[in-house]
Amino acid sequence: MLAAVSTPPPLSSPHAAPVPRHRGDACPGSLRLHAADDGALARVRVPGGVLTVRQAHALAEAARRLGDGELHLTSRGNVQLRGLGDACGGELAGLLDEAGLLPSRGHERVRNIVASPLSGLDGNGVREVRPWLSALDAALCASGAARGLSGRFLFALDDGRGDMTPLGADVTVRATADGGALIRLGSAPETLRVAGDDAPRAALLAAEVFLECAEGSAERVWRVDDLGPAHTGLASAVRHRLAASGIDCTRGPGDAAGTDATRPPGNTEATDTTQDPNGPAGTDATRDPSRTPGPGSAREPIPAPGTVGTRPPGSPAAAGGPRPGIVGSALSVHVPLGRLTTPQWRELTAVAPGELRLTPWRGVVVPTADMTASERSAALSRLAAAGLVTDPASPWPGVGACIGRPGCGKSHADVRADATRALGAVGGARLPLYWSGCERRCGHPRGDRVDVTAVPGGGYRVTRTDGAGRQSRTVAVHDLSDLATALAAITS
């Protein structure tokens, strides 16, 4: 039944010093577990989403031995372990430490770095960002000041294709075709231009300057855009700090997302095939103070799926990130709702020659440079047989959900089970769908979408929501068999 509803190792800066926090940052980590309704939760930071096969095996063993046996991918290419016992913290830390996943215990929650997952694999982009990733992670772990960053603060390293731009990072570094880099601070329109080799150090210095500005704020400030009016002076302060540290810096173009300098030579159009044209995605609900998670929140919201070039024409709601299938010299798969079983994880590690790259779109890229075309096809078929999405026309990449029941006691429904049962209705959807167990809508994206929100007593409210969070059309659905009709009514 449908019913209408009224719409409602560079060195740390010598100027920097650790910044004390007057309120605790409750963002979970590997050493600070979060108490959820299905047991304790650990969030393991994986900078750039890059895991060696050995590290991947260690995570699977931790999930099997200590948790619910599954690995949950987050919107920042990290891994969450759920269903952990209350007394397993020491054993978990030992497993991660032995695998090299805890290089600095004092920095484990601040190693939030996303990076272009296809960099160096598909011929797009203008610079391989792996050296940037290694240098920035080492610099973070060597910086005493960086310990003061919130677990929500995010760095993004873009190889020039623009795939990181929509993720709403606090410090975005984007490669340019002339060998330089553009640095954007939060959602500020202006950018700073530095030499490419200076980019990792410049990114760290920018974060350290942010910490100093945050310390002078009367309000709690976790992210760059939380600075409010003080945000306008941040770029100037960063320029002065870079100059004092011997880094040449000039004002860059006003829009880092579409400048000619970021396009590879010979291209007349942006090479980005994964960018969301609807604007920055909701990588952290704390960007909007009205949606700031309360103390103890374990939310790590989902970036809005993109719509440019990632799927064949006429396919259902497009998704951001690398399309499933064989892409360049890599395999790309999507993980439905970000939930990997241990057997699926084993299959991924079995076909991976050396590493996995977890993406912010809950996918996995497997570099396969040394495989033949037939070997790649066989490996992809193996992953498809394990239940991973390898078909670019699949509706799964356009579907997201919060944890729902039984993991969250506030949820009115098992939204993940319902999303799976209703997948067939998504085929004609023109927008991505996000399923929520309650009005909090934890993890919802900020782009244009359809919110499917569980209501007390059963059923869902299906609402079209724009990138600014404004709701336009709403329909009540009491039976999932009516979802396709509801989607057609609100998206036509």
Side-chain angles (χ1 to χ4, degrees):
M1 295 289 292
L2 302 179
V5 177
S6 58
T7 302
L11 297 178
S12 173
S13 165
H15 303 281
V19 178
R21 286 293 179 190
H22 301 297
R23 301 183 182 94
D25 176 10
C27 199
S30 302
L31 303 178
R32 177 187 293 179
L33 307 187
H34 169 76
D37 288 279
D38 58 348
L41 175 154
R43 183 176 297 158
V44 183
R45 266 62 176 191
V46 185
V50 178
L51 287 170
T52 65
V53 169
R54 174 172 170 266
Q55 290 172 331
H57 282 309
L59 286 172
E61 177 63 13
R64 183 195 67 80
R65 189 194 307 178
L66 305 174
D68 64 5
E70 296 184 339
L71 299 104
H72 303 259
L73 305 188
T74 79
S75 61
R76 294 181 170 188
N78 295 322
V79 174
Q80 288 188 164
L81 304 177
R82 302 188 67 98
L84 299 170
D86 293 338
C88 75
E91 186 176 0
L92 174 62
L95 284 170
L96 299 179
D97 199 6
E98 185 179 354
L101 290 167
L102 280 177
S104 173
R105 295 196 174 204
H107 296 82
E108 64 98 3
R109 292 187 307 131
V110 304
R111 299 171 68 223
N112 293 306
I113 309 172
V114 293
S116 299
L118 287 175
S119 185
L121 300 176
D122 65 347
N124 290 319
V126 297
R127 187 187 189 104
E128 165 64 75
V129 297
R130 179 61 69 81
W132 279 359
L133 175 62
S134 299
L136 178 56
D137 189 32
L140 271 172
C141 291
S143 168
R147 290 172 179 254
L149 289 171
S150 162
R152 304 162 187 168
F153 194 93
L154 180 63
F155 295 89
L157 305 178
D158 191 314
D159 69 357
R161 74 184 66 213
D163 55 346
M164 296 293 102
T165 302
L167 301 186
D170 296 280
V171 178
T172 300
V173 182
R174 181 163 174 169
T176 60
D178 59 4
L182 298 178
I183 296 179
R184 171 172 287 182
L185 306 173
S187 60
E190 69 272 9
T191 60
L192 305 175
R193 185 186 296 275
V194 299
D197 291 344
D198 290 330
R201 185 171 173 229
L204 173 64
L205 289 168
E208 292 178 344
V209 172
F210 157 77
L211 284 170
E212 296 169 6
C213 293
E215 178 64 9
S217 175
E219 301 295 328
R220 181 176 61 179
V221 173
W222 301 122
R223 308 199 61 192
V224 166
D225 284 352
D226 295 338
L227 285 172
H231 189 184
T232 58
L234 181 61
S236 177
V238 170
R239 282 199 307 273
H240 284 95
R241 180 62 53 80
L242 296 184
S245 302
I247 296 178
D248 290 334
C249 173
T250 59
R251 287 185 175 87
D255 181 6
T259 63
D260 290 337
T262 63
R263 300 172 185 160
N267 278 8
T268 57
E269 295 182 10
T271 59
D272 172 22
T273 60
T274 57
Q275 183 177 343
D276 178 3
N278 298 317
T283 53
D284 198 320
T286 60
R287 187 169 298 279
D288 179 350
S290 69
R291 298 197 299 270
T292 300
S297 170
R299 308 176 204 174
E300 186 161 343
I302 300 171
T307 56
V308 178
T310 55
R311 298 164 69 85
S315 63
R323 61 174 176 80
I326 298 174
V327 185
S329 61
L331 308 179
S332 173
V333 299
H334 179 79
V335 180
L337 304 177
R339 192 172 180 175
L340 277 163
T341 64
T342 302
Q344 289 174 328
W345 193 255
R346 287 200 196 101
E347 287 298 297
L348 282 165
T349 57
V351 304
E355 71 178 30
L356 304 175
R357 299 185 185 182
L358 313 180
T359 81
W361 301 275
R362 291 178 170 84
V364 183
V365 169
V366 182
T368 58
D370 295 330
M371 284 188 183
T372 64
S374 61
E375 289 172 333
R376 287 194 187 102
S377 295
L380 195 68
S381 296
R382 183 173 175 177
L383 296 179
L388 298 170
V389 176
T390 61
D391 181 358
S394 169
W396 265 124
V399 178
C402 70
I403 194 65
R405 289 180 181 172
C408 177
K410 294 182 174 63
S411 178
H412 301 302
D414 184 346
V415 292
R416 295 190 168 207
D418 285 347
T420 301
R421 282 195 292 268
L423 186 64
V426 181
R430 300 173 58 188
L431 293 171
L433 271 67
Y434 192 76
W435 294 71
S436 300
C438 70
E439 287 293 340
R440 297 188 307 161
R441 292 174 295 138
C442 296
H444 68 77
R446 289 183 293 151
D448 291 357
R449 65 188 183 276
V450 173
D451 281 316
V452 185
T453 308
V455 296
Y460 286 89
R461 189 178 66 254
V462 183
T463 306
R464 180 169 181 165
T465 307
D466 68 14
R470 293 184 294 262
Q471 299 179 350
S472 53
R473 305 175 188 175
T474 299
V475 173
V477 173
H478 303 293
D479 190 311
L480 289 180
S481 63
D482 294 324
L483 181 60
T485 304
L487 292 176
I490 68 173
T491 61
S492 59

